[in-house]
Amino acid sequence: MKELSQLVRPNIWKLSPYSSARDEYSGHEAKVFLDANENPYNQPLNRYPDPLQHEVKALVAKTKGVREEQIFLGNGSDEAIDLCYRCFTQPGIDNVVAIEPTYGMYRVCADINDVEYRTVNLDDHFQMSAKEMLAATDKYTKLIWICSPNNPTGNLIDHDEIEKVLKGFDGIVIIDEAYSDFSGQPTFREVLDQYPNLIVLNTMSKAWGCAAIRLGMAFASKEIISIFNKVKYPYNVNNLTQEKAKELLEAPYEIDKWVRTLLLERERMIHSFQVLPICQMVYPTDANFFLAKMTDAQAIYDYLVEHGIIVRNRTRVTKCGNCLRVTIGSKSENSQLLAALRQY
Ligand SMILES: *Cc1c(COP(=O)(O)O)cnc(C)c1O
C-alpha cells in the first residue's frame, strides 16, 4: 500500500477540521452547558448530539467485533461512499475501478465528484477476476469498489479473488458488505487488522430493518477513520438515530429471527420462480433478494405495477438483460407476488 499521505487528496491531508463546541469539551464532570448556543428548553432534543457517537460505537464495536477507533458512522452507507471520494480522489485527475454490474451509488458519487469511474465486467457466473481488476488500475487509481454479496446479482464474490485485489493493489479497497448478515460466511471486518488499505461497509438498512433511521458504518484502520471524521459534517448522525441505534444494538434478538425467516422465504420464492413458465432462471444468491431472468422482464414488470406490486426491473443493467430483482418480503407479500405471476 502507498503511504496514506500519497492517497489522500492533498487539501484534505492538510485540512484542519471545524471544531464544534462538543468536540472541544469532553469529559463527564460538567453539568452546565453554555457553550453551544443551544436553547435550554425542549429537552432532550435541545442538545447537539455527540459528534463522534461514542455510545453507539461502543455497542457497534461489541456487535461487530471491531475496535471503536475502527468505526465511522454516517447518514447511511451513502455518506461513507461519498466520503471515500471526497477524502481520496482528486476531481478530474484520479479514477476508481469497480465491478460491473453493482450498486449504482458508486458511479453516482464518482460522477458528482467528477472522478473517472472504470468498470470491469463480472463473468457469466457474476464472479470477479482479480487479475482484470488490477489490470484496469493505473497510477491515478485511488479506490477499488467490490460489493459482496453483490447488488443486484445477489452472490458473494469469491473470497480468494478479493484477497488478491487487497494484496495486489496499492490504493484503497472498499468492500460493501451491506448484505453480509444474510450470507452466513466470514466477513472482511474480521481481517481489518491485516489490511491497512481495507474499508468495509455495513448498514442498518437491510438485516437490521432500519432503513428509515439512516445509519451506515465504515470499518477501517484508525488512520482512515480519522480522515473521515475530519471531513464529515460535525453532527452527521442525529440524536434520534443514535438513540434508536443504541436500543437496537442492546437488544438485537429479533434480527436473527428475521434473517432466518427471510432465508426460508427466499428458498420458497426461488423454488416457486423456478417452476414459473415465464422464469428462465434464478441466479444463486447470498442476500435477501434474488435476480431472476424472465421471458420478458419489462412486460412482467409493467404487469406487476398494474397489480400494485413493485419489483426492480434490472433489464437495462450490464449482463442483466430480462432480469428482475426481487426482494424477499413478508410471507403474505411474497405470496401476493407469486399469485400475480401465476396469473400472468
Ligand atoms: C442497500 C445498500 C446499501 C445501504 O445503503 P444505506 O445508505 O446504508 O441505506 C449499501 N450498499 C449496498 C450495496 C446496498 O444494496
Side-chain angles (χ1 to χ4, degrees), residues 9 40 66 78 119 133 177 204 235 256 262 333 339 341 343:
R9 258 190 216 183
V66 297
D78 293 343
T119 58
M133 293 294 280
E177 295 190 323
M204 288 243 153
Y235 302 108
D256 285 347
L262 290 171
E333 290 169 328
L341 288 174
Q343 300 283 315

Side-chain angles (χ1 to χ4, degrees), residues 74-79 81 102-106 147-152 176-179 201-206 210-211 214-217 289 325:
N75 186 349
S77 313
D78 293 343
E79 182 180 359
I81 292 167
T102 194
Y103 186 46
M105 276 307 285
Y106 316 141
C147 182
S148 178
N150 188 28
N151 178 3
D176 187 341
E177 295 190 323
Y179 299 98
L201 303 183
N202 277 192
T203 179
M204 288 243 153
S205 300
K206 306 288 157 61
C210 264
R214 310 305 301 130
L215 190 68
M217 307 165 195
F289 62 85
R325 193 193 70 191

Side-chain angles (χ1 to χ4, degrees), residues 198-228:
L198 170 62
I199 299 175
V200 177
L201 303 183
N202 277 192
T203 179
M204 288 243 153
S205 300
K206 306 288 157 61
W208 288 74
C210 264
I213 74 171
R214 310 305 301 130
L215 190 68
M217 307 165 195
F219 306 110
S221 70
K222 72 171 194 293
E223 289 78 14
I224 290 176
I225 297 301
S226 61
I227 294 160
F228 282 176

Side-chain angles (χ1 to χ4, degrees), residues 78-330:
D78 293 343
E79 182 180 359
I81 292 167
D82 188 51
L83 272 177
C84 289
Y85 286 99
R86 292 200 289 139
C87 292
F88 293 111
T89 58
Q90 286 197 269
I93 297 173
D94 291 332
N95 66 68
V96 306
V97 172
I99 58 171
E100 173 85 0
T102 194
Y103 186 46
M105 276 307 285
Y106 316 141
R107 183 194 289 276
V108 171
C109 288
D111 291 346
I112 290 170
N113 286 279
D114 191 21
V115 167
E116 184 196 348
Y117 185 82
R118 299 181 174 185
T119 58
V120 176
N121 280 1
L122 297 175
D123 69 15
D124 291 341
H125 302 285
F126 292 135
Q127 280 303 329
M128 175 189 76
S129 153
K131 210 170 130 207
E132 287 177 31
M133 293 294 280
L134 294 171
T137 65
D138 63 18
K139 65 176 180 173
Y140 296 108
T141 307
K142 293 293 171 65
L143 310 175
I144 290 182
W145 292 97
I146 299 171
C147 182
S148 178
N150 188 28
N151 178 3
T153 63
N155 60 299
L156 280 161
I157 304 297
D158 185 83
H159 197 277
D160 294 344
E161 287 300 297
I162 296 180
E163 285 208 311
K164 283 186 207 162
V165 172
L166 275 166
K167 287 181 179 142
F169 182 49
D170 59 8
I172 304 288
V173 180
I174 302 132
I175 307 177
D176 187 341
E177 295 190 323
Y179 299 98
S180 59
D181 297 286
F182 299 103
S183 79
Q185 295 298 311
T187 72
F188 276 89
R189 282 197 309 276
E190 296 159 33
V191 293
L192 218 47
D193 285 320
Q194 288 169 43
Y195 297 107
N197 61 339
L198 170 62
I199 299 175
V200 177
L201 303 183
N202 277 192
T203 179
M204 288 243 153
S205 300
K206 306 288 157 61
W208 288 74
C210 264
I213 74 171
R214 310 305 301 130
L215 190 68
M217 307 165 195
F219 306 110
S221 70
K222 72 171 194 293
E223 289 78 14
I224 290 176
I225 297 301
S226 61
I227 294 160
F228 282 176
N229 284 340
K230 124 175 149 157
V231 176
K232 76 180 187 71
Y233 290 149
Y235 302 108
N236 62 326
V237 179
N238 73 68
N239 211 30
L240 300 173
T241 296
Q242 292 193 38
E243 288 304 317
K244 194 71 204 176
K246 282 192 276 178
E247 197 181 296
L248 271 159
L249 288 158
E250 275 164 355
Y253 313 113
E254 294 284 295
I255 318 292
D256 285 347
K257 203 174 74 192
W258 290 338
V259 168
R260 275 197 305 276
T261 306
L262 290 171
L263 293 182
L264 286 174
E265 275 296 286
R266 187 179 76 187
E267 291 322 295
R268 177 172 83 95
M269 292 300 285
I270 290 174
H271 288 134
S272 306
F273 260 69
Q274 281 167 337
V275 298
L276 287 172
I278 54 171
C279 176
Q280 295 183 332
M281 77 170 291
V282 177
Y283 290 96
T285 178
D286 301 287
N288 66 331
F289 62 85
F290 61 88
L291 192 69
K293 194 179 260 317
M294 312 300 282
T295 49
D296 185 345
Q298 185 66 51
I300 296 164
Y301 174 83
D302 293 339
Y303 162 85
L304 288 172
V305 170
E306 269 172 46
H307 288 74
I309 298 170
I310 316 299
V311 297
R312 200 82 198 266
N313 183 5
R314 298 283 76 184
T315 191
R316 276 176 286 278
V317 170
T318 311
K319 297 193 101 121
C320 299
N322 272 323
C323 285
L324 298 178
R325 193 193 70 191
V326 180
T327 306
I328 306 303
S330 66

Side-chain angles (χ1 to χ4, degrees), residues 2-28:
K2 286 182 188 147
E3 293 293 321
L4 260 192
S5 59
Q6 302 304 115
L7 288 170
V8 173
R9 258 190 216 183
N11 64 309
I12 298 302
W13 187 252
K14 284 185 291 190
L15 176 76
S16 28
Y18 173 73
S19 178
S20 69
R22 290 298 126 82
D23 279 330
E24 293 185 0
Y25 156 76
S26 68
H28 288 288

